Amino acid sequence: MEKVRIGILGLGAISGIYLKNLTTLFKETQVLGIYDLIPEKMEQAQKEYGIERTYSSMEELLQDPDIEIVLNLTRPFEHYATTKAALLAGKHVYSEKPLAATFEEGKELAALAREKGLMLGGAPDTFLGAAIQTCRKLIDDGFIGRPIGATAQMICRGHESWHPSPEFYYQHGGGPMMDMGPYYLTALVNLLGGVKGLTGLAAKSFEQRVITSAPKAGTLVPVEVPTHVNGILRFENGAVGTITTTFDVYYDRQDKLEIYGSEGTLRVPDPNGFGGSITLLRPEDGSFREMPLLFDYSENSRGLGLADMAKALRTGRAARADVQQTLHVLEIMTAIETSSREGRYVELSTAYERRPAMAHNPVRGILD
């Protein structure tokens, strides 16, 4: 298959693993060009990963006729404008999460992509890794019986103790639900199907946060978004789930994701990763037993969703991390805040259909 040519917009902290995987792990992608506001970042990435082209502006990248898919790694509140510009330039787009900062913006982007016949999708792609795909098979094959519930928790004290520039986590488009919720919700809908409706409560526990990491240690950051968010989800299949995301709590672990069924309980590894330990409790066992990983990509395989989109572009099939998924997850996240603000149950408007499970390929880095 002819390699799909990628242009990367933004070279923040997450760009390194994308560049590494897209240039070494995945065999059907080529990072043709990159752009960032900071020239030094482009120079370093070009030298380290052998990138052919750099650009003087975003517009120059978008006007390059050889770029087929734009990988949008800009800051969350910039996703809407930059993705829209790329779609208007006729480029397919794979965006880091979330799709946009508001559901209205997300719907506009989805409609624009549909109107122009372009592919639009995005992160997270961890659900395509070995762990979540194995969990999906266990559930689909009946190991826990009929799914009846789920619990998801992301508990931490925020990112200002380690991130070099954490301000955006507390700005429009940020917060624990918009930042980390996509991992947990994407895993949940891939395991259980779409969400029908929900209720939520959200709070902003602190008006300011203090950065304690270099180089901005001591800087005060105003908090614009809820930082402790709870949702109760009604899935289309009748199961009921809960999700909590917080930047306000001291705790000894960050992640929890459990799926409850009529015949057992499945403990899912951290959905922010591609691998991890899966344990299953069935009544005849009486205790949790570790299950083997049944799929590939258990290490940090970011870019897997983009590689899948590239294969879909060449073959004409649907991409697994497509816009119907990212838009559904965005509606869930924003509807939780709407429910909290308006004090009501919210019926969701987006439909969701699980894409096919991952398939094995004898050549690693080439997708089905």
Side-chain angles (χ1 to χ4, degrees):
M1 183 184 97
E2 179 189 1
K3 290 189 176 185
V4 175
R5 298 177 296 277
I6 311 296
I8 299 182
L9 187 59
L11 296 174
I14 196 67
S15 65
I17 189 63
Y18 273 105
L19 283 161
K20 178 183 176 182
N21 289 340
L22 293 171
T23 57
T24 60
L25 173 59
F26 301 115
K27 311 301 183 186
E28 298 172 312
T29 60
Q30 176 193 2
V31 180
L32 181 64
I34 53 177
Y35 172 69
D36 192 90
L37 289 170
I38 302 174
E40 291 77 14
K41 287 186 176 182
M42 287 192 287
E43 294 170 8
Q44 180 179 348
Q46 185 176 34
K47 180 179 179 181
E48 184 171 356
Y49 298 102
I51 308 303
E52 179 180 322
R53 304 175 189 178
T54 62
Y55 305 94
S56 60
S57 67
M58 177 183 75
E59 291 73 21
E60 186 180 5
L61 183 154
L62 298 182
Q63 290 167 10
D64 186 339
D66 295 329
I67 296 294
E68 296 177 90
I69 300 177
V70 171
L71 171 58
N72 188 349
L73 302 183
T74 60
R75 292 171 294 184
F77 60 86
E78 298 169 325
H79 288 174
Y80 164 73
T82 48
T83 293
K84 183 177 180 179
L87 292 171
L88 289 172
K91 306 299 184 185
H92 307 283
V93 180
Y94 184 95
S95 175
E96 253 302 324
K97 44 79 185 171
L99 172 63
T102 71
F103 181 50
E104 291 69 25
E105 291 177 346
K107 286 193 295 183
E108 182 183 338
L109 293 175
L112 180 59
R114 185 168 56 250
E115 173 191 330
K116 290 189 164 293
L118 295 168
M119 301 184 77
L120 173 61
D125 56 2
T126 48
F127 76 97
L128 297 173
I132 303 299
Q133 289 293 304
T134 298
C135 290
R136 171 174 169 165
K137 181 170 178 59
L138 291 172
I139 294 170
D140 290 352
D141 288 354
F143 278 75
I144 64 169
R146 175 176 54 86
I148 59 176
T151 297
Q153 295 179 347
M154 193 295 297
I155 302 174
C156 74
R157 185 62 182 181
H159 300 338
E160 58 268 29
S161 65
W162 61 270
H163 198 284
S165 187
E167 297 94 329
F168 70 90
Y169 288 110
Y170 300 100
Q171 296 171 347
H172 177 62
M177 183 57 74
M178 297 293 278
D179 176 48
M180 295 298 292
Y183 296 107
Y184 292 79
L185 290 168
T186 300
L188 283 172
V189 299
N190 272 273
L191 296 176
L192 297 176
V195 173
K196 181 178 182 180
L198 57 82
T199 58
L201 286 172
K204 182 170 65 173
S205 303
F206 305 95
E207 293 297 326
Q208 293 180 321
R209 306 293 285 242
V210 181
I211 298 176
T212 58
S213 58
K216 299 182 179 181
T219 302
L220 289 177
V221 178
V223 178
E224 302 174 359
V225 294
T227 51
H228 193 94
V229 185
N230 299 276
I232 303 175
L233 315 176
R234 169 73 73 180
F235 290 87
E236 291 284 357
N237 66 1
V240 175
T242 63
I243 181 168
T244 297
T245 64
T246 180
F247 283 165
D248 300 337
V249 175
Y250 295 106
Y251 207 60
D252 63 346
R253 58 174 293 181
Q254 177 173 296
D255 63 284
K256 178 181 180 181
L257 183 55
E258 296 180 343
I259 310 296
Y260 311 121
S262 60
E263 299 175 29
T265 294
L266 187 65
R267 285 183 175 161
V268 182
D270 184 355
N272 190 19
F274 291 81
S277 175
I278 300 169
T279 56
L280 172 68
L281 171 64
R282 287 183 56 88
E284 59 267 27
D285 293 330
S287 61
F288 281 92
R289 297 173 57 185
E290 186 160 359
M291 307 300 290
L293 297 177
L294 304 175
F295 292 84
D296 198 0
Y297 305 109
S298 60
E299 75 289 352
N300 190 343
S301 303
R302 294 189 194 274
L304 180 56
L306 176 53
D308 181 77
M309 175 185 278
K311 191 58 173 274
L313 179 62
R314 288 287 186 261
T315 62
R317 66 163 170 82
R320 291 179 169 95
D322 62 357
V323 70
Q324 63 102 31
Q325 176 170 283
T326 56
L327 184 62
H328 188 60
V329 168
L330 179 60
E331 184 178 20
I332 296 169
M333 296 190 296
T334 55
I336 290 174
E337 188 172 346
T338 298
S339 173
S340 177
R341 185 175 62 252
E342 299 180 2
R344 64 181 179 90
Y345 178 82
V346 177
E347 292 273 359
L348 299 192
S349 62
T350 52
Y352 175 75
E353 177 185 350
R354 292 196 307 170
R355 298 308 186 199
M358 290 287 281
H360 290 287
N361 191 306
V363 180
R364 197 162 189 272
I366 295 179
L367 303 187
D368 64 299

